[in-house]
Amino acid sequence: MARVSSELRTLLVKQRLADGSRASRRFRNAGDIPGVLYGKPFERHVLLTTPRSSIEKEIRERQGSFENTLYNLSFEDAADEKLSNLLVVPRTLQQHRYKNHPISCNFLAYDPEKGMKIRIPLFWLDEEKSNGLKRGGVLNRVFWDIKCHVTGLNIPPSLGVSLAGRNIGSRIRWSDIKVPDGVSLIKPPNNVEDNPVIATIKGKRSLMEADDIEE
């Protein structure tokens, strides 16, 4: 079982025995968020709570990459040795429909050797170097994130895609994604293209110079 890494952030949690909507409401009123820990080596889900302030802090700092961030999970007063220190990834974060604060957060145990499938958001680089965007074009995203298989301890917060030199009419494709070591892209099963389009730069042809036109 993978153990704690000193290079990762630690989330402190408490094991809980009570389950159900009433118990969850009581935990939330006390400033804690209910959730579960699952995955190997656990045969059954482990009920837990996390301080809401801790989750809110991570969401603010991680933005859209919170659910593809690797954490050390530490249980307070853990009786089971398996719960002493664990590598986990947040899963199925639920937020209040109107107030937008977290109300539930689960965690999946992570084995860096076997890895796991995870969605990683795309991050668009060099927008200021795109001729098409500078002339008033608009980036039309086909994919906002990409399903990947990751291994190791360095799960990237995002996958970079450079827009340098892109003109109106440009098609940015799968092969343009910068893929770091330990990450493998998983193509959507319903996409038959070998090199799918992940974004285009749209705009009126009147904004294009003759040598920028891409057929």
Side-chain angles (χ1 to χ4, degrees):
M1 178 173 54
R3 286 301 181 187
V4 64
S5 169
S6 59
E7 299 178 356
L8 302 174
R9 292 192 182 188
T10 297
L11 287 175
L12 296 177
V13 299
K14 293 180 181 180
Q15 190 171 4
R16 61 185 172 98
L17 299 177
D19 196 9
S21 57
R22 287 187 178 181
S24 295
R25 191 178 306 113
R26 186 169 65 251
F27 289 127
R28 294 186 186 108
N29 289 338
D32 293 322
I33 297 174
V36 299
L37 167 66
Y38 61 100
K40 294 183 178 180
F42 304 102
E43 295 180 0
R44 300 179 61 183
H45 292 175
V46 179
L47 302 176
L48 57 80
T49 61
T50 313
R52 192 173 93 179
S53 58
S54 298
I55 298 296
E56 289 178 329
K57 179 177 182 292
E58 293 302 317
I59 293 173
R60 284 195 305 270
E61 295 185 5
R62 302 293 180 173
Q63 300 294 322
S65 63
F66 173 66
E67 290 189 80
N68 61 285
T69 299
L70 186 60
Y71 289 97
N72 294 318
L73 198 69
S74 180
F75 280 81
E76 295 184 20
D77 303 321
D80 188 341
E81 184 182 348
K82 293 180 181 179
L83 300 177
S84 57
N85 283 297
L86 296 165
L87 294 177
V88 301
V89 174
R91 276 291 181 267
T92 55
L93 171 70
Q94 294 184 20
Q95 294 181 277
H96 193 280
R97 183 180 302 177
Y98 306 113
K99 299 179 181 179
N100 206 35
H101 60 243
I103 58 175
S104 176
C105 184
N106 299 334
F107 298 95
L108 175 61
Y110 177 76
D111 184 335
E113 294 185 1
K114 294 181 179 179
M116 68 168 56
K117 293 178 181 179
I118 199 169
R119 301 199 74 88
I120 302 179
L122 294 174
F123 185 71
W124 307 93
L125 306 167
D126 305 319
E127 292 186 20
E128 73 283 359
K129 297 179 182 179
S130 165
N131 295 331
L133 295 180
K134 287 192 291 186
R135 290 175 182 152
V138 176
L139 181 66
N140 179 41
R141 304 182 188 188
V142 180
F143 290 89
W144 290 79
D145 56 27
I146 300 293
K147 189 174 184 179
C148 306
H149 183 267
V150 297
T151 56
L153 296 177
N154 297 315
I155 300 177
S158 60
L159 299 173
V161 184
S162 176
L163 298 176
R166 299 291 184 171
N167 303 304
I168 292 174
S170 286
R171 293 182 177 90
I172 300 94
R173 294 185 176 275
W174 198 263
S175 57
D176 296 314
I177 301 172
K178 297 180 179 180
V179 184
D181 293 339
V183 177
S184 301
L185 306 184
I186 301 174
K187 292 181 181 178
N190 58 345
N191 198 314
V192 296
E193 290 189 56
D194 291 332
N195 194 17
V197 173
I198 60 173
T200 60
I201 296 181
K202 290 193 171 184
K204 297 180 180 179
R205 292 181 68 87
S206 60
L207 298 173
M208 304 166 66
E209 294 185 358
D211 56 354
D212 288 340
I213 297 177
E214 298 191 15
E215 298 297 340

